[in-house]
Every structure is written in C-alpha cells, then in structure tokens.
C-alpha cells in the first residue's frame, strides 16, 4: 500500500466483552491484563500484528481497560500486565503499519499511545492502582515503553530475553511513546547509559539491566510467576487503603451520526469539512446535583459530570483521527451555569468518595486531551451558555474566547472551586495559573468570585479575550474564524503548542514537547520515510541509505 | 537559486573595526549598538538585506558585540540597541535567504541566533549590562524577538509603527528565535492575547501594546530619544555597582587550517569527512595559574581559561555550520590535570573579580553551546589527558565517556569546585546534577573528591560510562565509534536532545526543545518549503497553497 494509505473511520468504543487483543481478569484486589494480539486483527488488512506488536486498535482496548479498572473495579490495587504469548512480551508498535501510514496518522497514533501510558501513571498516582509489567520474553520498543509506564518491571532471566529500544539504530526514528523521557526523567537512568542502551539494538538483560535501572527485578523462568505475584502483593500492601466501590458500569457512549454531526446525550460535534471547522456544543446538567456520596454512587455512569466529559473525550478523539482537515474547533455551551457550579461543588465537597475522585480525575484527563489537541480552539460565550466551573475550563483551554457584551447583562460565566487546581495541565499548572503566570496573586483573587461574572467583569478580570457588543459580535467572530481558517495548519500547530504551556515543563509535558516534536520532525525526514529511509526499508534485504547531514 | 544553495565557508571572526552591519559606540557607562544592515552585505549574493533584515553574518557581528561589551567595556551598564535607518528598527530574519537555504542551514542559523539572544539575557543577569531596545519604527518577526531579549522595550508612538510576529500568518513558519516562548514565559503576556498577537500580521502598537505587555513604554517621535535615554539612565541606576575594569582586549583567535585540521593555540579540530567524525583536542594550561585578581587582570585574553574556551567555541561553530556531515565529535584532552584544577581554583577563589566572573560565565556559555550541538559526542580519557574541573565538564557534556583502565593507574580525572554549579546547563542544572538526577546526595559526595580520581574510582562514582582495559581499549572505542557513524543522523539528533536534559525545563531550554523542534518540523513541511509553501511563495504575486491536514 502507498505511504498515504487512508484509514477507515476509527471508533474508540471498546468493551472487555469485545476485546480482540487483550483479556482483563479480576481476582479481588488483583487484576491481570493479558496482551495477546491477533495477527490479523489490525485496523487495516495490509499488515500483520506479529509478536504482540500493536496498532491503534490494540491501544484503544488498552486505554479502555485502564479506564474501566478505575470505575468498574475500584477495589483493584494492582494490575499485572502480561503477555499471552510464549517468550514474547511485546515487540512494540507495528513497523509495517507505521511505514505505510500517513504522517498525520503516525502523529495521532503516537499522541494517543502517549496519553494511554500517562493514564496508567495517573491511575497509579491518583487511584492507588499500581501496575506491574511481567516481561516473559522479548520486550522491544513500544513494549518496553509500556513497561516503563508501569510502577514495577520484572524481566525473565533466561539468558536471552532483553528489554530494548531499537528504534534509533534499526528504524531511524525515536522511541516515540515517552521512552527517552521516562528513561532519564522517571527511571532516572544515567544519561550516558541511556545513550548506550538506546543505540544498542539487542537491548540489555540480566544483572546489568537491573544495575542500570532499566528493570526492577529479574526472575528465572521457573520462578517468574511467583516473583511477579510476590511483587504485586508487595505493591498492593503499599498502595494505601482508600475505601472504594462498589464499581459502576461504564455504559457505551456511541454517538448517533446525523449527516456530519455526531450527537451524544450532552454533546454535539458538528463537522463542517467545507469550512474546515467543527462546533463542539456541550450541554450543562439538567438534573439537580447529587447531595452526597451515596447519590454520586447511585447516579453512576449516567451522572452528567461523568457522562458529559466522556462524551467530550470521545468527540475529541474522533475529531483528531477521522477529521484531519478540521483546523478550528468552536466551543459552545448551553444550560444553566449555576447548575454546573452546584454539580461541581457536590463533587468537590465529596471528593473523598472514591467515585467523586474518579470523576474529577477523568475530567482532568479529558481537559488535558483538549490541551494537546492540535486544532485551534475558540470558545464562544453568549446568551444561554453555561461556561461555569468545570465547563469554564474549556474556555480556559481555548486559544481565545469571545464573550458577548449584552446590554442587559444576561451573559455570564462562573468559577467553582474546581478551577483552583483540580484540573492540572500536563505541566502541572492549573489553567488559571497558566493564564495569569505573570500575576500569581490574581489567581486567588479571581477564585474569590463566587457569583456569576458578567462580561464586563470577566474582561476586567482577564478571563476572556474579547468582549464584543451585540452590534459587533457577529462580524468579529465571523472574521476571526475565517482568518484562522486561512493560516498554514502546521504553523498553527507549532504556535499553539508553544503558547498553551507557559511555565516550567515536567516529564509529562516534555513527552508532548521535546520528545514528540522531535519525533514529528523525524517522521518527515527522508532518512526515515523516504524511499530509502530506515522505516521504509525495515524488513527488506537492502539497507537504508542516509543523507548524513546533521542538524 | 535552488532551495539547497550551498553556503560558502563561514567564519565567526568579527571585530567592531570591521563590522558591516552594526556600529558600537561607548560613552562611559552607556553603549549604543546601532543596526544598519547593508543591503548587499549578506553572506550570499542572491538576496538583499532590505529593511534591516538579517542573515547569519549580521548576527555574528551582534554576538561579537555582546561578548566584547562584557570583556572590553565592563564599565558599561546599559546598552541601547537602535536602528541606523529611518522608521525601521528591524524586519527580522531575511525571508528570501530563509526560503533558499537548505534545511540544515536554517536549523543552524536559528540555533545561533537563539544563542545570541540568550547571551544578551546572560549579560543582563550576570554582568549587570542591561539592554534597552529603542524601536524607532517597524519591528517585525526576528526584530521583535531581538527586542524581547532586551530588558526594556520602547516603541515610537507615531500612529503606525508596531511590533509584530507575522511569521505564522504570513510565512507559515514560527517566530523561531525564542519569540513564542519569551512572549508567555518571559514577558508573561496572557496566552490568549499572545495567540491574537501572533496571528495578526500587522502587529500591535500604541497603548494596547503596553497594556498587553508587548512593550514597556511608548514615546512620540519628538521625545523618542529622550525617553530612551531616561529609561537607560533608570536601568543604569538599578543595575548594581560591581567594580569592573579596566577592560581587556579580545584578540583574534582565527585558526590555521592545515589540510582538514583547524589549529588554534590550545585547541585542534581535526575533520575526517570520510569517516564523518571529528576530533576535538584540548590542551590544558602550560602557564602557572594566576595568583590573584591582579594577575587575572594582567593575563587578560591570553590566559588559558579564556583563550582555550573561546577557541573551543569557535571550533564548535565552524563545525556546526561548515561540516554538516560530521556526525560524531571525539573529545580528547592533553596536559596536566592538576594544573587545570589549580587554574580553575584561582578563578573560583577570585570570582568576585569582574574578569574572573566574566571568564567563568563565558566557559558556561561555551559548554552550553556544546550541549545544544547536534552531533554525537564521545569523550576519550586516556594517558596524558587532563579531564579535570572545567575540562571534565566536556566529558560530562558528552553522550558517553570511555576511560582507560591502566595497570599503573596513571590515568585520572579530577573535579574542581567549578563542577558544583558554575556551569549550569540550559535548564539550570549542573551537569553533575543532571547526570545523577536519581541520586541527589551523590553530587555532593562526588564533589568531595579533591584528589585525582583513578579509573576504578571514576567508574565506581559513575563519572564515566565505560572503563576498558588496555587490551580492550582500542577495539571497544573503534567499534563504538564505527557503530555510531552508521546510525541515522536524524534519530541521533532527536535522541541526544531528549537524553541530554533530564529534569524540569526552563524558558531557556524550552527555546531549544518545544519551540525549535516544532520549528524544525515546520521547516520540513511542504506547507512552508514546498513549491507552493508559504515561505517559498512569500513576495510573489500568487498565494501559497496548503494541505489543510492538521497534525
């Protein structure tokens, strides 16, 4: 197939009952996630998923499992990630798939797999669900990057099985799923050793792998299962004792497609391919807020705070992968801002309830997904909108916001305590803190506004970009949208990624900045993807031919 | 000319007497740097440097001036950067030059201009030399990025002159000289306003530019000079009162080219184009160390600590720009390690002397230039070498180091107090701290080693990567070098950039990571550099044609 093979429309629906490549089994507080990738189960028919290599479809199931473990099996304290194949853990991302995918698909694929691995770490940090990677054999590239996202890595000690990142020496690309960053920033492998490891295609094994910090433990074949079980047990005993459960069932959120509009219960995503823009309309809650933990538990997956943000998440993913020409997302809301605020408050007050905590963490992940979505984002705040609290974060995530200045002051936004730090960006700052990085005291002053904030006041506080009056509104907004749609999409991607994250960067944000931007660069270079590039030539008898220019 | 027009060999020698594009004038504690770019004074004859636009040659002179101000005119407290042209400050990097330069040249050009702007900020922070940008007219793109590197920006208020970053909307590339990062991280412009500003090709002027934080002051034409002078005076009074001077003269360090080897006084750079490698040999001091500030002052530019590091800097720059196919730099030293240490100690003990301070700051900049050099770096530590203190930083900057394990323990390395934090990397960590990011206490323990460190001990401390014995040395080193030379240069660039900077990132490091990596990606994309790309089409009657895919 050509290097620009189009993908079929991709859905992010998944359920353990329908997993093709994974098995999820639960035994009280322990879960096992078994990777057993089906050779011919790829999203496209032109590649085989050999040796537990993965494509986006495999990762969509993994992301689903990680999510369900938190909501459906909250009692689980340790998840063992293992392989269903003999002597192979995972060979990483499928190379023929990468070699024949369009640039934009590669970029989106890596972004999604990066997010999934960050979600594993998020579960470990915020839900006391620890992950053990049980490496029973070959663990290469993305396989080892998946292992590094876990808390503990056990490698079989059989004289041959190794962990490796062979991308640089074999494929001429980077380990693009956070591997380089996690090696030095998370596992704190000495940087010169990381250099040796990342240029040694056969990888490392045995005691040296432990000594260098690449893995946490070794186990001979005969003791492999028991060592994994022991370490899982140990992690379990250190992973706290939040009272959690019973789990709730995450029902499907599959949208109905009406023409080019995706309709969910609370969210509508209208795609306008001709104008290269989409409108994401989010409806606020209609039901009254839950009063206590019991009501939060009872409302389960159907409560607005959870359902609505899961729908936003699904809409963003479909937009990213299936609608590549959409350059601008216009964010709108409708509903009662006060009801959003009181719904936020209920979760905030009962955040010690396990499900309230999980919902807030999920909302935070969805908002981070928005931050790293490579589309221009404009928020339009007008009559009938409900940009309050958790939904005001959408406006804060936007590249710009327009708020209608109306004579009768009917338009308002509102803050809730959730705007104070419950939804950190990838680099750890709240969106208010990132916005007011030059005026730290201003964040607190702004959070003190507990009443509806009129347009005039919002502008004064610096919460919105522009506040046109009713005469100018339509023209101002239309012109801004049209101008945006005329600019080179590449320069907008680089610009937005640079402006959205003021302040110091963390491991998490470096994965999307230093690492991913370099990977995207490499994914454009003939040395990787040209007719004689390393990715193109992989698996063929002749060797790649490089332009040796260094830059 | 074709998009791959080769550049002539570029020299980084410059002297105010020979400046083509700048004038440096000194009036006691005030200096004026006047930019008056010569239309036909570019490095290549096929573009004209209209409207004070610049190419690498213009920036080489600027870098020279910034450096000389610190060493030759240490009494200067404020530098006013102004234009020698009427109603034009600077139109930024020359677009026809960018449009017709090879990718690698663009990347190296941006890297150098970024370093120069960081050096302006380094002078402000560490030498109490503050910079005022006096914008008498058009200030676009790189012109405004230069202004943002200054401490204070005064814009003429004439109803038309504006500051602008028109790259995104007009050229389909990023403002690549730190502009995006400085807007939000240094000037702390609100990110939504930065979004508006960076997509508004005509830029901003007047009160709104002040209110948004884009400039610091406005002045009508009649008062422009006096307002600039007042603000310079004010900065001068706040810029401390280090007793400095008299200045020393920085003599030329032009190397002698013997075949393909550059010979300096203390440094030799041997280029082996066939094997795509270079050897950088650095000789330690032969003279005894200065005893006090007076001797440091008297030794001036000829003292080893200054001369040697200026030579390393020049060698790195020539290598970067003139020898693109060199993928690996082998670092070697020869001399007496104890003499390097005592020379370091002399500077350390007398660092309150202005010249000692300047020399240490320069060494720090040169080492950072090495960190951001896109070539693999191996340090070879064997008999007769002197990797001690400031020269041991070279080994710490290397991607790997090999230290000969000899029977009679004649090979050693040594630390000096300078390894403790005098030479911060771009992201603020010392190289020892970055190396031992997983063992913070280990940095102090290591610095406590004041005696020569044998190979065995160096390995134990984690100061070197490998320590082959005399039997293995030659083969191990040869194989490592040959293997490195066989790997895709692009993947090595991305890998090294990712592994060299463990830990959190700062504004300075983000410029080389998030911003530059995205810019390099964009510089590869047809939307910028293809036949219908925005950079290619700039100044032509027909508009660019974009592939609207977003990724």
């Amino acid at each position: 197939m050509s290097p620009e093979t189009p993908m079929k429309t991709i859905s992010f629906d998944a359920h353990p009952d329908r997993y093709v490549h994974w098995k999820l089994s639960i035994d009280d507080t322990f879960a096992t996630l078994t990777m057993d990738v089906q050779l011919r189960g790829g999203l496209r028919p032109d590649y085989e998923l050999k040796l537990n290599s993965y494509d986006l479809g495999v990762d969509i199931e993994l992301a689903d499992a990680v999510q369900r473990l938190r909501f459906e099996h909250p009692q689980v304290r340790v998840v063992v990630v293992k392989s269903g194949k003999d002597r192979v853990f995972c060979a990483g991302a499928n190379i023929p798939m990468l070699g024949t995918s369009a640039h934009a698909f590669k970029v989106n694929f890596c972004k999604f797999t990066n997010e999934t691995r960050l979600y594993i770490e998020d579960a470990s940090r915020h839900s006391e669900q620890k992950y053990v990677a049980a490496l029973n054999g070959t663990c290469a590239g993305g396989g080892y990057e998946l292992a590094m996202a876990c808390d503990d890595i056990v490698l079989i000690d059989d004289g041959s099985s190794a962990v490796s990142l062979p991308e640089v020496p074999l494929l001429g690309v980077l380990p693009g799923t956070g591997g380089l960053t996690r090696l030095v920033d998370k596992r704190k492998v000495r940087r010169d050793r990381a250099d040796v490891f990342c240029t040694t295609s056969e990888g490392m094994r045995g005691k040296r792998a432990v000594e260098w910090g690449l893995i946490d433990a070794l186990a001979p074949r005969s003791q492999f299962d028991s060592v994994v079980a022991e370490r899982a047990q140990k992690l379990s005993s250190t992973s706290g004792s939040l009272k959690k459960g019973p789990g709730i069932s995450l029902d499907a959120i599959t949208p109905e497609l009406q023409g080019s509009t995706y309709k969910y219960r609370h969210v509508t995503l209208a795609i306008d391919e001709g104008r290269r823009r989409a409108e994401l309309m989010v409806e606020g809650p209609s039901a009254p807020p839950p009063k206590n933990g019991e009501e939060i538990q009872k409302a389960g997956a159907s409560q607005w705070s959870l359902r609505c943000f899961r729908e936003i998440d699904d809409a963003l993913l479909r937009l990213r992968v299936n609608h590549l020409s959409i350059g601008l997302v216009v964010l709108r809301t409708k509903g009662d801002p006060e009801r959003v605020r009181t719904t936020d408050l209920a979760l905030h007050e009962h955040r010690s309830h396990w499900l309230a905590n999980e919902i807030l963490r999920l909302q935070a992940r969805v908002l981070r997904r928005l931050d790293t979505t490579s589309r221009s984002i404009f928020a339009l705040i007008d009559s009938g909108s409900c940009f309050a609290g958790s939904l005001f974060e959408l406006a804060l995530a936007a590249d710009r916001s327009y708020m209608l200045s109306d004579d009768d002051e009917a338009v308002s936004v509102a803050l809730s305590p959730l705007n104070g730090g419950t939804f950190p960006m990838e680099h750890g700052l709240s969106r208010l803190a990132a916005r007011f990085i030059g005026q730290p005291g201003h964040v607190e002053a702004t959070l003190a506004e507990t009443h509806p904030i009129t347009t005039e006041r919002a502008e004064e506080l610096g919460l919105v970009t522009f506040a046109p009056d009713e005469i100018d509104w339509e023209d101002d907004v239309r012109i801004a949208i049209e101008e945006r749609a005329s600019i080179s999409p590449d320069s907008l991607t680089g610009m937005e990624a640079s402006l959205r994250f003021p302040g110091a960067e963390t491991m998490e944000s470096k994965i999307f900045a230093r690492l991913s931007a370099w990977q995207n660069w490499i994914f454009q270079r003939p040395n990787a993807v040209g007719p004689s590039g390393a990715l193109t030539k992989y698996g063929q008898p002749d060797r790649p031919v490089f332009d040796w220019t260094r830059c």
Side-chain angles (χ1 to χ4, degrees), chain A:
Chain A
M1 294 182 80
S2 93
E4 299 290 312
T5 308
M7 297 296 293
K8 64 183 177 192
T9 297
I10 290 168
S11 152
F12 291 83
D13 286 338
H15 190 279
D17 294 347
R18 300 190 309 270
Y19 288 172
V20 177
H21 308 290
W22 292 88
K23 274 195 280 290
L24 174 61
S25 66
I26 311 285
D27 178 7
D28 192 22
T29 61
F30 292 89
T32 305
L33 250 175
T34 306
M35 185 179 204
D36 194 2
V37 178
Q38 296 308 296
L39 196 69
R40 302 194 172 279
L43 288 179
R44 284 189 347 228
D46 62 309
Y47 52 79
E48 293 189 332
L49 297 174
K50 289 180 186 163
L51 298 171
N52 260 3
S53 63
Y54 59 85
D55 70 354
L56 181 59
V58 177
D59 224 66
I60 287 171
E61 293 182 1
L62 173 60
D64 182 76
V66 172
Q67 181 100 293
R68 284 185 198 277
L69 276 161
R70 298 174 77 162
F71 284 98
E72 303 196 343
H73 310 285
Q75 80 284 4
V76 165
R77 290 213 196 139
V78 178
V79 184
V80 174
V81 183
K82 56 176 273 196
S83 163
K85 302 207 189 300
D86 194 30
R87 290 167 203 264
V88 174
F89 176 71
C90 168
N94 186 267
I95 307 307
M97 178 277 293
L98 280 179
T100 55
S101 291
H103 179 73
F105 183 80
K106 285 199 279 283
V107 170
N108 275 313
F109 167 71
C110 290
K111 191 174 281 180
F112 184 82
T113 56
N114 268 315
E115 288 168 333
T116 305
R117 275 129 204 86
L118 287 166
Y119 293 174
I120 289 175
E121 291 170 333
D122 192 71
S124 167
R125 192 174 303 133
H126 298 301
S127 295
E128 300 196 323
Q129 288 190 336
K130 302 294 172 190
Y131 279 73
V132 179
L135 314 183
N136 63 316
T138 308
C139 178
Y144 179 51
E145 292 178 297
L146 172 59
M148 277 196 281
C150 298
D151 299 280
D152 195 61
I153 307 177
V154 184
L155 174 65
I156 198 162
D157 191 12
D158 60 4
S160 70
S161 294
V163 295
S164 65
L165 291 176
E167 286 88 343
V168 169
L170 283 192
L171 304 171
V173 299
L174 302 183
T177 317
L180 299 176
T181 312
R182 279 198 182 80
L183 263 186
V184 293
D185 275 13
K186 180 182 184 184
R187 298 196 61 90
K188 301 186 192 300
V189 173
R190 233 174 56 204
R191 47 163 288 217
D192 57 333
R193 288 175 164 175
D195 178 274
V196 173
F197 175 64
C198 296
T199 50
T200 303
S201 50
E202 67 272 24
M204 305 237 161
R205 58 191 169 80
K207 282 182 189 140
R208 193 193 231 185
V210 178
E211 192 196 320
W212 284 26
L214 301 168
I215 60 171
D216 298 294
L218 274 173
R221 184 170 301 275
S222 61
Q223 293 162 38
F224 184 71
D225 291 343
S226 65
V227 168
V228 168
E230 266 165 40
R231 297 185 70 92
Q233 190 68 51
K234 199 173 155 204
L235 263 179
S236 167
S237 65
T238 61
S239 76
S241 52
L242 270 183
K243 193 172 154 348
K244 299 202 293 186
I248 62 162
S249 173
L250 294 180
D251 54 340
I253 47 165
T254 323
E256 194 184 325
L257 190 58
Q258 297 180 347
S260 55
T261 298
Y262 295 87
K263 297 205 76 125
Y264 301 82
R265 196 176 301 163
H266 307 290
V267 170
T268 307
L269 176 68
I271 304 286
D272 183 345
E273 297 276 0
R275 291 194 171 103
R276 300 192 297 278
R277 82 178 74 141
E279 183 181 279
L280 187 76
M281 168 64 87
V282 181
E283 280 184 58
S286 52
K291 285 196 196 66
N292 48 42
E294 212 173 317
E295 287 196 18
I296 291 168
Q297 176 78 43
K298 196 172 154 213
S302 68
Q303 63 198 294
W304 176 86
S305 304
L306 177 51
R307 173 90 193 185
C308 178
F309 275 76
R310 285 178 68 214
E311 291 178 355
I312 296 172
D313 205 33
D314 191 71
L316 289 176
L317 288 170
R318 287 172 190 265
L319 175 77
R320 275 189 189 175
V321 174
N322 297 326
H323 301 283
L324 294 172
S325 68
I326 301 300
L328 174 69
V329 180
V330 174
L331 294 177
R332 309 185 82 120
T333 55
K334 69 177 168 200
D336 176 1
E338 187 53 20
R339 186 152 279 185
V340 180
R341 243 178 65 80
T342 50
T343 306
D344 279 3
L345 275 172
L347 291 177
H348 182 69
E349 278 169 23
H350 302 97
R351 60 183 313 155
S352 62
H353 187 277
W354 78 274
L355 182 54
N357 175 53
E358 285 305 342
I359 292 171
L360 294 172
R361 302 296 182 186
L362 176 132
Q363 290 180 327
R365 292 195 294 284
V366 174
L367 290 164
R368 287 198 288 273
R369 181 105 76 191
L370 183 59
D371 293 330
T372 53
T373 293
S374 295
R375 312 297 169 102
S376 298
I377 308 170
F378 286 5
L380 298 188
I381 307 168
D382 54 5
S383 312
S385 69
C386 60
F387 282 98
S390 52
L391 290 188
F392 189 66
E393 290 287 318
L394 298 175
L396 290 171
D399 297 302
R400 301 182 193 178
S401 52
Y402 290 80
M403 186 168 181
L404 176 67
S405 179
D406 58 331
D407 286 343
D408 47 3
E409 301 197 342
V411 181
S412 67
V413 297
L415 299 175
S416 82
L418 300 188
N419 300 113
T422 303
F423 306 130
M425 299 175 70
E426 217 64 82
H427 66 328
L429 294 187
S430 72
R431 282 174 198 78
L432 273 182
R435 185 174 187 84
F436 298 129
I437 195 156
Q439 314 154 261
H442 192 56
V443 174
E444 276 180 47
T446 305
L447 283 169
E449 305 263 334
T450 52
H451 296 292
I453 301 169
T454 61
T455 304
E456 194 182 353
R457 181 72 181 138
E459 206 183 9
E460 194 175 272
L461 287 166
L463 289 173
V464 295
T465 316
F466 293 116
D469 62 22
E470 284 160 313
I471 297 167
D472 293 331
W473 173 263
E474 206 167 318
D475 272 357
D476 282 8
V477 167
R478 181 182 52 76
I479 290 168
I481 289 176
E482 284 175 5
E483 279 183 354
R484 193 68 161 205
S486 71
I487 297 177
S488 162
D490 304 336
S491 62
L492 287 176
T493 291
M495 182 193 83
E496 289 154 4
S498 295
L499 298 179
R500 285 179 187 172
F501 297 89
E505 303 230 17
T506 61
M507 182 196 87
E508 290 78 3
S509 72
K510 283 167 80 175
I511 287 174
F512 295 104
R514 193 178 273 275
L515 181 55
S516 297
W518 276 115
Q519 178 76 311
N520 292 356
W521 176 74
I522 291 166
F523 274 160
Q524 285 284 291
R525 302 273 291 170
N527 280 345
V529 298
S532 304
L535 205 55
T536 314
K537 286 291 178 192
Y538 182 73
Q540 295 183 28
D542 48 333
R543 290 179 54 81
V545 179
F546 296 129
D547 170 351
W548 294 106
T549 300
R550 259 288 199 145
C551 53

